[in-house]
Amino acid sequence: MWISDVSIRRPVFATMVIASLVVLGLLSFGRLGVDLFPKIEFPYVSITTTLPGASPDTIETEITDVIEEEVNSVSGIRQMRSVSAEGVSQVVLEFELSEDADVKAQDVRDRVASILSNLPEESDAPIVEKLDPDAAPILSLLIAGDAPVRELTVFADEVVKERLQRIRGVGSISIVGGREREMRVWLDPAKMRSSAVSADNVITALRNENAELPGGRLEIDGRSKQYGTRTLAEANTASEFGNLAVAYRPNGQVTRVRDIGRVEDSVEDETSYAQLNGRPGVVLEVRKQSGSNTVAMTRAIKAEIEQIKGQLPSGVEIVVTRETARFIESAIGDVLFDLMIAVVLVVFVTFFFLLSWRATFIVMLAIPTSVIATFAAFAAFDFTLNFMTLLALTVAIGLLVDDAIVVVEAVQSDVDEGADPMEAAPIATKRVALAVLAGTFATLAVFVPIAFMEGIVGRFFFNMAWRLSTAE
């Protein structure tokens, strides 16, 4: 046991080594992320394609079957299933856990890109995305008041969303319940028949006439100066949309949009709705970047919200309706409370059986040094503070003091028989060395195999097993 011999002969050296490990653990602890569960990447990839108005049978034959036939050749697929509903096709691929989800998602994108020409022209481009637990919203903000939904949407999009996206760790922010500005053209069938104009003519005119196109370059002063030009042909008001030309007659007469209908400056159709105490509102769902600290990012967002409240229009309020960080803090707090209770009980039981404050103090010193030093290993393996790792700490408290109690009792027994403490320490340590090593390796034999379990359960217990192993 050369480690114990060096520690006894060189106590300053041993103290500095332990102190350096504790300091390194404390520095690493401040940089660890906080989350509810360990970061687990599920190897699932989904392909979503929409074809508005198509029946499920058409979706299956024209889209789903074509995609399935192409992506089936991707290696590592464990299971493939699909859903063909009205207007929507979704194909979900489950890969083996040993596969890299990012690599497989890119392989699927390449396969899907090669069959775009085989899909119906009216269908939207397929959306390929992997299943990411971090993609779920961690915070929901509700902006409600007496103002119209259109004004609330503009404020949420141009003010609140813009400021929150600047916060470090924020991934994306989606708006629910918002209704943006939209021009509606109401056509009169009788006027259209008299003008010999169809709905397709109106759609074509709106696309061609309402456009902002590049106009080339303007060179002046002997080509010494160049200016970029563009055509400002976009309509911004209802009257400008009404002036757009739809058809030209041989006699020079022009049929405009206002001649065959009316234009209304309105908002888009209501596809989602939000309200607060009976008042209409808009919800902002905040998603974090993968691997970001949920708790720290939520605190930064709430601090920014307090500043935004000073810019709210009259009669408008903003509240937090959903907060994942609160549940995480509550769960982590409960585990930390159990951890403190475990430490107190270990100290009490140790003193009750040993009846020595000196021996109890040694045990008390062994617990925090071992626990804190393992945070450095956490930072090296890119682990987070979560429910599973803190649960492992609670279990490790009892395991950590076993070796210390055995060694202290052996040394104390020789001292009580009259041996010199400096001589009794190495002799007693060598006497119980095999027993201590046997107990340590027995613990490792139980928990290390857990780290190599397969399946989703093995991924969850990976952090716990390594936490216990490094603490030992």
Side-chain angles (χ1 to χ4, degrees):
M1 297 296 291
W2 64 272
I3 297 180
S4 60
D5 293 340
V6 172
S7 301
I8 294 171
R9 294 196 307 266
R10 300 287 187 270
V12 176
F13 172 75
T15 302
M16 295 305 297
V17 170
I18 295 174
S20 61
L21 291 176
V22 172
V23 172
L24 184 61
L26 290 175
L27 293 176
S28 302
F29 178 78
R31 301 175 182 178
L32 294 177
V34 181
D35 217 331
L36 184 59
F37 290 110
K39 182 182 178 181
I40 300 177
E41 194 171 68
F42 297 95
Y44 288 86
V45 178
S46 66
I47 310 169
T48 305
T49 311
T50 58
L51 179 60
S55 64
D57 292 338
T58 303
I59 291 293
E60 181 178 6
T61 57
E62 298 293 333
I63 298 179
T64 304
D65 291 344
V66 176
I67 294 177
E68 286 181 343
E69 184 178 354
E70 182 64 26
V71 301
N72 191 41
S73 58
V74 179
S75 62
I77 296 179
R78 181 179 180 183
Q79 183 181 8
M80 179 171 58
R81 59 182 183 270
S82 62
V83 176
S84 298
E86 183 175 356
V88 179
S89 167
Q90 185 176 47
V91 180
V92 179
L93 304 176
E94 178 186 356
F95 293 92
E96 299 291 341
L97 287 174
S98 58
E99 301 290 346
D100 191 333
D102 292 326
V103 175
K104 292 305 173 183
Q106 186 59 47
D107 292 342
V108 173
R109 290 190 185 96
D110 295 340
R111 296 285 185 178
V112 172
S114 64
I115 60 171
L116 292 179
S117 59
N118 299 334
L119 300 178
E121 296 182 358
E122 299 80 7
S123 64
D124 297 330
I127 300 176
V128 180
E129 56 186 356
K130 67 174 184 177
L131 178 61
D132 187 2
D134 289 341
I138 65 168
L139 191 73
S140 295
L141 306 175
L142 178 57
I143 304 174
D146 301 325
V149 178
R150 176 173 166 179
E151 296 181 6
L152 294 176
T153 303
V154 173
F155 179 79
D157 186 30
E158 298 182 358
V159 179
V160 181
K161 183 178 178 180
E162 288 294 329
R163 295 186 58 173
L164 295 183
Q165 284 180 331
R166 303 172 188 171
I167 298 176
R168 183 178 181 180
V170 174
S172 63
I173 302 177
S174 58
I175 299 179
V176 178
R179 302 177 67 184
E180 297 182 354
R181 183 189 182 191
E182 186 176 80
M183 290 292 177
R184 295 180 177 271
V185 180
W186 302 95
L187 300 177
D188 189 333
K191 294 181 179 179
M192 293 175 63
R193 283 193 298 268
S194 62
S195 301
V197 175
S198 65
D200 291 337
N201 298 136
V202 178
I203 294 174
T204 303
L206 292 175
R207 289 176 178 174
N208 296 336
E209 300 295 333
N210 179 38
E212 182 174 328
L213 303 175
R217 294 180 301 177
L218 176 63
E219 298 179 352
I220 60 175
D221 296 339
R223 304 181 66 179
S224 61
K225 297 181 180 180
Q226 292 184 353
Y227 296 93
T229 60
R230 55 192 177 95
T231 57
L232 300 177
E234 285 189 340
N236 296 317
T237 63
S239 60
E240 291 178 354
F241 271 93
N243 289 329
L244 295 179
V246 177
Y248 296 90
R249 303 302 175 189
N251 58 3
Q253 184 180 3
V254 180
T255 302
R256 303 184 183 276
V257 175
R258 65 171 180 266
D259 298 330
I260 56 176
R262 61 183 178 87
V263 181
E264 179 184 1
D265 191 349
S266 182
V267 293
E268 61 185 359
D269 292 333
E270 186 179 46
T271 56
S272 59
Y273 182 74
Q275 68 174 8
L276 177 64
N277 298 327
R279 297 185 298 173
V282 176
V283 175
L284 293 176
E285 293 188 338
V286 183
R287 293 172 173 82
K288 69 172 185 176
Q289 296 176 355
S290 181
S292 300
N293 191 326
T294 302
V295 176
M297 193 186 71
T298 301
R299 292 174 180 171
I301 291 175
K302 295 175 73 172
E304 187 68 24
I305 292 173
E306 293 299 324
Q307 299 181 7
I308 295 176
K309 287 183 178 179
Q311 303 178 8
L312 290 175
S314 178
V316 177
E317 60 179 321
I318 178 172
V319 296
V320 178
T321 58
R322 178 175 57 181
E323 182 182 349
T324 305
R326 180 182 301 177
F327 180 74
I328 295 176
E329 290 179 327
S330 177
I332 298 299
D334 291 341
V335 178
L336 289 176
F337 180 73
D338 295 339
L339 183 63
M340 290 186 292
I341 292 179
V343 173
V344 173
L345 291 178
V346 167
V347 173
F348 175 77
V349 172
T350 302
F351 178 76
F352 179 79
F353 284 96
L354 298 182
L355 297 178
S356 172
W357 283 110
R358 183 178 180 181
T360 304
F361 176 76
I362 295 174
V363 173
M364 290 176 56
L365 190 62
I367 295 176
T369 53
S370 300
V371 171
I372 295 175
T374 54
F375 290 129
F378 258 45
F381 287 103
D382 196 22
F383 290 164
T384 60
L385 290 177
N386 52 69
F387 183 81
M388 299 300 295
T389 54
L390 292 180
L391 181 62
L393 274 183
T394 306
V395 177
I397 293 299
L399 301 176
L400 291 174
V401 299
D402 292 345
D403 299 343
I405 292 176
V406 172
V407 175
V408 169
E409 177 61 19
V411 176
Q412 187 64 37
S413 178
D414 290 354
V415 172
D416 293 340
E417 293 178 0
D420 182 72
M422 294 296 296
E423 297 178 357
I427 295 175
T429 302
K430 292 179 181 179
R431 187 170 62 248
V432 299
L434 290 178
V436 171
L437 290 176
T440 300
F441 283 111
T443 303
L444 294 177
V446 174
F447 289 102
V448 169
I450 296 178
F452 297 95
M453 289 177 58
E454 297 182 354
I456 300 298
V457 177
R459 296 295 181 92
F460 272 97
F461 281 94
F462 177 80
N463 288 359
M464 180 181 179
W466 278 114
R467 183 64 160 130
L468 285 167
S469 301
T470 53
E472 281 291 304

